[in-house]
Amino acid sequence: MAEELLKEWPSYLAYAVAFVYVGVIWLNHHYMFARLCKLDLPLNWINLGILGTAALIPFPTGVLAGAFRDGNLADQKAAVVLYALIAGLMSAAWLPVFPHLHRHRKLVKPNVPRSMFAAQIMRPIIGILLYVVAGLLGWFVQPVLAVSIFVFIVAYYAWTSQGIHAGYRAIAASPRSSGS
């Protein structure tokens, strides 16, 4: 029984990484919407694209875990390409939101700097490029290399997340965090 549970380690690792990834997406999404005062129809459609692709992340993550647990090299290669494609689409879903908010200032709270959303565009572009590189390296060189890049991308998004840093600053500034 314990041995069978230990054989599932790729699934546990995949769950942990997917949980952190979806959590980072949620924090970034929350950070963005906390800076808005209203929505319009195009933003709602853009938002559905973000949420829809974020909801897909667990599927290729599970396929990836299964390929490394039970599959051969061809299965692993196919799984890393699937993951790179879906995760790249999730990154791409963020691309239209920043220019839209930059062009439609009426949606953004007045105290939000005009350049804030425009500056965010590089994060999904870097993510897309890294997913393309990971997919190609995983297919042509070694799937494990792609998985390490996938983990790096999640860490990159977490490290550069305004949502995580804003939450930390809010906790650090709250009266409760003073140790009383």
Side-chain angles (χ1 to χ4, degrees), residues 14-61:
Y15 173 81
V17 171
F19 177 81
V20 169
Y21 197 10
V22 171
V24 168
I25 294 166
W26 182 86
L27 289 168
N28 286 325
H29 187 265
H30 179 72
Y31 178 82
M32 178 180 68
F33 273 84
R35 275 131 192 91
L36 303 180
C37 57
K38 58 176 138 177
L39 302 172
D40 64 4
L41 185 59
L43 183 59
N44 276 324
W45 282 109
I46 293 167
N47 187 45
L48 284 174
I50 292 168
L51 296 175
T53 54
L56 290 174
I57 293 296
F59 171 68
T61 305

Side-chain angles (χ1 to χ4, degrees), residues 104-177:
H104 297 90
R105 288 295 301 170
K106 68 184 185 295
L107 304 176
V108 181
K109 291 179 180 175
N111 63 334
V112 175
R114 184 161 181 79
S115 63
M116 190 193 104
F117 290 119
Q120 293 295 316
I121 196 79
M122 286 310 297
R123 292 178 70 239
I125 290 172
I126 290 169
I128 293 165
L129 293 174
L130 288 172
Y131 283 122
V132 168
V133 168
L136 291 171
L137 289 174
W139 182 261
F140 291 110
V141 180
Q142 177 55 256
V144 173
L145 183 58
V147 172
S148 65
I149 295 171
F150 297 154
V151 172
F152 170 79
I153 296 168
V154 172
Y156 163 75
Y157 278 142
W159 183 258
T160 61
S161 168
Q162 293 297 316
I164 290 174
H165 295 294
Y168 175 75
R169 285 189 297 271
I171 290 169
S174 75
R176 291 180 182 227
S177 68

